[in-house]
Amino acid sequence: MVATEKKRAGGRKSTKERLAELEAMLRSGAHEEARKQNEAAFAEARKLVAALQAAGFEWTKGLDPLLAGINELSGDQYKIVASVFLQHLEAGLPPLLANSLLQSLAATNPRSRARPYWAKIVSLFRSAASSEVRDGAAVALAAIAEPADGEVVLSWLRDPRFGESRVFFLRALRRLLPPAERAEVLETLKRDPDLEVECDRVLRGTAPNDG
């Protein structure tokens, strides 16, 4: 249940914060693996910026400021960024970097700007080889899901193969289901140990509003 609590409490982490986690791995003794992951993430971040520039998006400040300010992009700029991000995500990226990119895609207002990429993000969610990638895709999908997606979101919530990543869909049920149906679904889902704590919070109204 500790891991579930961590997922429930956590928000989107910046690339720097995730790289700091790798630094913590160094201190814990996993030196070589952390060093390799760190170098790979920085190398891929540089490639992403170069790819954005090649696609006509002039950006020289590095990847992290872009992720933090993605909501300030124009519609055309967002389309370029989203397309480049997804091309690289589909090709494969270090898991922590992939997580940051996926979460950033839905951190836009209006959220409908991310909607054209729903199918690609679904594919990444279903095929994810790591919990970090699956978590990032789940955060993005939960943010941009519409009422018509209610049944597919429920199918993911009921599928234990997706593990604790399913937690991120629970708050989205406020937008996807009418109150009576939502309460019934949550009462059933809370029998799942991966979802129990967050289901209780949503039922009590103490979980942050997903909008």
Side-chain angles (χ1 to χ4, degrees):
M1 196 58 66
V2 174
T4 302
E5 286 288 330
K6 182 178 180 181
K7 283 183 183 292
R8 176 171 57 80
R12 188 178 77 84
K13 296 181 180 179
S14 71
T15 304
K16 288 182 179 178
E17 288 173 322
R18 295 189 175 279
L19 292 175
E21 292 179 352
L22 295 178
E23 294 295 337
M25 288 174 60
L26 284 171
R27 293 191 294 272
S28 71
H31 304 298
E32 186 62 19
E33 182 62 24
R35 183 187 65 79
K36 289 179 180 179
Q37 289 189 41
N38 208 341
E39 290 180 354
F42 276 117
E44 291 296 338
R46 289 191 293 269
K47 289 179 184 178
L48 278 165
V49 172
L52 288 168
Q53 293 170 341
F57 180 71
E58 294 300 324
W59 188 263
T60 59
K61 299 178 183 178
L63 184 61
D64 217 48
L66 175 59
L67 298 183
I70 201 164
N71 193 42
E72 300 171 10
L73 300 180
S74 70
D76 288 341
Q77 289 174 326
Y78 180 85
K79 288 178 182 178
I80 293 173
V81 170
S83 295
V84 169
F85 280 7
L86 284 164
Q87 287 173 8
H88 284 252
L89 284 162
E90 289 171 334
L93 289 171
L96 295 177
L97 178 59
N99 180 287
S100 291
L101 298 188
L102 283 161
Q103 292 199 46
S104 74
L105 287 175
T108 182
N109 186 22
R111 289 173 175 173
S112 59
R113 296 207 297 185
R115 184 65 194 187
Y117 311 104
W118 168 268
K120 289 181 179 293
I121 301 173
V122 168
S123 179
L124 289 165
F125 173 73
R126 288 175 170 162
S127 64
S130 72
S131 61
E132 292 90 351
V133 176
R134 191 164 49 247
D135 284 356
V139 170
L141 292 171
I144 62 177
E146 298 175 350
D149 305 311
E151 284 303 316
V152 69
V153 171
L154 285 176
S155 74
W156 296 334
L157 280 164
R158 292 166 176 150
D159 192 336
R161 292 176 299 173
F162 297 126
E164 292 184 2
S165 298
R166 297 173 292 160
V167 166
F168 297 110
F169 293 118
L170 290 172
R171 295 174 195 172
L173 294 181
R174 289 172 171 162
R175 289 183 287 106
L176 304 180
L177 299 177
E181 182 180 355
R182 180 174 67 242
E184 182 179 352
V185 166
L186 287 167
E187 287 291 351
T188 301
L189 290 173
K190 68 185 291 186
R191 300 170 191 163
D192 187 316
D194 286 339
L195 305 177
E196 178 185 3
V197 172
E198 188 68 1
C199 282
D200 274 337
R201 294 184 78 229
V202 176
L203 284 165
R204 295 197 310 267
T206 59
N209 195 343
D210 182 65

